[in-house]
Amino acid sequence: MKKKYGQAPDNNRKAYFGTLSNYKNGQFLNQLLTPALVEGQNMLKVLWHFFGKHTDTEPTSPIPFIQTDLKRLRPEENVLVWFGHSSYFIQVDGKKLLIDPVFSGNASPVRGSVKAFPGSNHYQVDDLPDIDLLLISHDHWDHLDYQTIQQLQPKTGKVICGLGVAQHFEYWGWDKNKLTEKNWYESVSPFEGFQVTLTPARHFSGRLFNRNISLWTSYVLQTPSKKLFLGGDSGYGPQFKEIGERFGPFDLAILECGQYNERWPYIHSLPEEVVKEARELNAAAFMPVHHSKFKLAQHPWYEPLHQVTLLAEAAHIPVVTPQIGEIADLNHPVKAWEKWWEKLLQH
């Protein structure tokens, strides 16, 4: 079914993109040169390594989850609930937000490949209340899932995304009035007292062969009582310090930590870089995501959590590590979180 691939930006969009400083020759640009692979590597070498033997890349026991009735949360509760990988739900100051939901159990256009780890795909669209605001960081398959997006259509009020990503939604039949697409450092006020600002990330986009024809982004979410950084996918770069200086301090930063490799160090952050990013953002605490659901790299599945918590503890930066479905209280996110992944390693 080709519908799931989405649609390239139309001519009107491309004409507008052509006026922007971060778009050239039909593609969006990172703030600094960002090769997909490190110097001396090529795709053949990477594939040879990828399909070689690597230990513990998938868990031997199901990923644990906690059953939380999201439809029965009290309106005054300010909470975050993670669904594995980069999908999470936020209820804050009376509004319900959903970020990068992928519930199909698959992070690839090829049926049966890149399947969710057992236990990690428990939550589905039917488990969600009506969503006031859906945020999409970029259009990669592990962040923009056609099946999930179509199921969300009747229960979602508004969508904010980077330039070009709304084209997919329009192609999939969404009401244009629900969709807002912006460039980096542009802001939207979706509700009274709320401001969403798109901020740079160091990554790329693309659902098939054409890369970077839509924008990838992180977000600064300012609500009446909270300031959150929603990182999306990003390699380390000067944008974190810049965002911290312009918008910090943050109550919580959600940062991708997983699916990294020394062969592609510019597009996904290593654990030591994630801790550095949290510090440069001036975040009171951070939560690592982009792990524990899909195998997209060769590191042990538990390594991102293991490494980043050790490094954060050494740096005295609080790290938030809930299980899938476990409530993280946004009013008090810092506590002695259980290192749930360690229990799986004892089996």
Side-chain angles (χ1 to χ4, degrees):
M1 182 177 60
K2 291 183 179 178
K3 194 88 172 174
K4 65 185 178 184
Y5 291 101
Q7 193 175 58
D10 57 28
N11 288 334
N12 285 339
R13 279 183 171 87
K14 287 193 285 188
Y16 169 63
F17 299 167
T19 67
L20 304 173
S21 60
N22 59 334
Y23 185 87
K24 189 175 182 181
N25 298 326
Q27 293 189 325
F28 285 96
L29 306 171
N30 281 294
Q31 288 183 313
L32 68 168
L33 184 65
T34 304
L37 300 174
V38 75
E39 189 177 17
Q41 292 291 324
N42 59 49
M43 194 51 69
L44 192 61
K45 284 183 183 178
V46 168
L47 289 172
W48 179 263
H49 181 259
F50 191 91
F51 291 108
K53 288 199 81 173
H54 306 278
T55 58
D56 297 331
T57 54
E58 299 184 25
T60 55
S61 302
I63 297 288
F65 62 84
I66 290 176
Q67 183 67 50
T68 296
D69 190 343
L70 300 171
K71 294 177 179 177
R72 301 193 67 173
L73 293 169
R74 298 191 311 278
E76 66 273 15
E77 289 185 273
N78 292 330
V79 302
L80 185 152
V81 176
W82 173 64
F83 302 124
H85 201 61
S86 293
S87 305
Y88 52 97
F89 166 87
I90 294 173
Q91 178 177 284
V92 61
D93 295 324
K95 297 298 182 183
K96 297 174 174 65
L97 292 79
L98 187 62
I99 293 84
D100 287 358
V102 176
F103 300 141
S104 68
N106 187 272
S108 160
V110 180
R111 186 183 295 274
S113 69
V114 196
K115 292 192 291 187
F117 299 153
S120 69
N121 201 49
H122 174 75
Y123 282 87
Q124 296 294 308
V125 170
D126 285 347
D127 297 313
L128 301 175
D130 286 350
I131 300 299
D132 297 302
L133 178 62
L134 173 64
L135 293 173
I136 301 294
S137 66
H138 63 300
D139 69 0
H140 281 157
W141 296 89
D142 58 323
H143 295 259
L144 181 64
D145 181 59
Y146 170 72
Q147 179 180 309
T148 305
I149 293 300
Q150 291 306 76
Q151 291 171 351
L152 280 166
Q153 190 170 348
K155 64 195 302 177
T156 301
K158 298 180 181 183
V159 180
I160 297 176
C161 56
L163 292 172
V165 177
Q167 184 81 57
H168 298 308
F169 283 80
E170 290 180 17
Y171 178 59
W172 294 334
W174 281 64
D175 181 353
K176 288 184 181 182
N177 294 321
K178 289 185 175 185
L179 309 174
T180 301
E181 55 184 321
K182 293 291 184 181
N183 199 5
W184 292 334
Y185 291 122
E186 293 183 334
S187 297
V188 185
S189 296
F191 321 109
E192 186 176 350
F194 282 71
Q195 186 172 63
V196 177
T197 303
L198 284 74
T199 44
R202 191 180 184 191
H203 199 57
F204 65 108
S205 66
R207 291 182 72 75
L208 200 53
F209 303 118
N210 292 325
R211 278 195 169 194
N212 301 343
I213 59 175
S214 65
L215 187 67
W216 51 98
T217 191
S218 57
Y219 294 97
V220 170
L221 172 62
Q222 175 75 67
T223 81
S225 71
K226 299 282 179 283
K227 190 181 288 183
L228 308 175
F229 178 74
L230 317 179
D233 278 4
S234 182
Y236 177 72
Q239 76 273 11
F240 291 100
K241 191 169 188 294
E242 188 178 321
I243 293 165
E245 289 172 350
R246 287 182 65 165
F247 300 99
F250 292 96
D251 298 295
L252 181 68
I254 296 94
L255 298 171
E256 68 111 0
C257 181
Q259 322 319 315
Y260 49 73
N261 191 287
E262 68 274 7
R263 290 169 172 80
W264 55 84
Y266 310 119
I267 55 174
H268 286 296
S269 300
L270 299 168
E272 56 267 27
E273 292 173 322
V274 175
V275 174
K276 190 176 180 183
E277 290 162 8
R279 183 185 289 112
E280 291 185 354
L281 286 165
N282 198 5
F286 76 96
M287 177 175 145
V289 297
H290 209 245
H291 57 77
S292 302
K293 186 165 186 171
F294 300 113
K295 177 196 169 188
L296 297 168
Q298 299 83 23
H299 57 66
W301 73 269
Y302 56 84
E303 183 183 278
L305 284 168
H306 176 71
Q307 292 288 351
V308 81
T309 51
L310 283 177
L311 292 162
E313 287 165 4
H316 305 291
I317 299 176
V319 58
V320 178
T321 54
Q323 295 182 54
I324 289 173
E326 184 175 7
I327 286 179
D329 182 353
L330 288 175
N331 293 333
H332 306 284
V334 179
K335 68 173 192 176
W337 290 94
E338 180 187 8
K339 295 183 179 179
W340 57 265
W341 57 94
E342 291 184 350
K343 290 184 177 178
L344 271 67
L345 305 183
Q346 297 165 7
H347 288 192

